[in-house]
């Protein structure tokens, strides 16, 4: 007598169950394998559009800001996106807005090197001392 199909299906699912992190979340930073949640594809796409606008000759800072704001709609907690926004605002000459974005970046990633560098560049309280203490 053969086992019911449901029992076979459950056995197959158990055999295929993955243990540990998904290969989709693994990547290398320097030579260390780490895992992190995948980013929202819409945020990533908008970020890439912002980066292309920044790298254009001449840079299209208005489009870059528009695209980074779109990216932030999908991922509000990413220190890299806030740092990029601060860099764009600084290039646009809006130092106060750049300081606010830099502060948000540090709130979400207090040890994030690009956020620390931007804070030092903007001379935010504490930013210069922390950034200068880090080896380059």
């Amino acid at each position: 007598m053969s086992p019911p199909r449901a029992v076979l299906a459950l056995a197959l699912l158990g055999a295929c169950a993955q243990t540990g992190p998904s290969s989709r979340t693994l990547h290398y930073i320097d030579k260390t394998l780490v895992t992190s949640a995948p980013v929202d594809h819409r945020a990533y796409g908008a970020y890439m559009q912002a980066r292309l606008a920044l790298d254009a000759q001449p840079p299209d800072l208005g489009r870059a800001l528009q695209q980074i704001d779109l990216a932030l709609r999908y991922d509000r907690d990413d220190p890299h996106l806030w740092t990029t926004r601060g860099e764009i605002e600084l290039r646009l000459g809006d130092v106060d807005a750049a300081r606010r974005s830099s502060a948000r970046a540090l709130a979400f990633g207090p040890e994030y090197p690009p956020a620390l560098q931007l804070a030092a560049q903007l001379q935010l309280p504490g930013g210069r001392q922390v950034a200068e203490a880090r080896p380059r």
Side-chain angles (χ1 to χ4, degrees), residues 15-74:
C16 295
Q18 180 173 335
T19 59
S22 165
S23 61
R24 291 179 38 192
T25 65
L26 294 172
H27 57 276
Y28 282 94
I29 296 180
D30 295 324
K31 294 182 180 182
T32 305
L33 184 63
V34 298
T35 184
S36 61
V39 298
D40 184 295
H41 69 281
R42 298 165 297 187
Y44 182 76
Y47 167 75
M48 291 306 298
Q49 289 298 316
R51 190 50 57 196
L52 288 171
L54 284 172
D55 292 341
Q57 292 301 320
D60 187 348
L61 298 176
R63 176 154 172 75
L65 184 60
Q66 176 189 38
Q67 289 299 307
I68 206 67
D69 283 345
L70 179 59
L72 283 163
R73 282 183 35 204
Y74 296 112

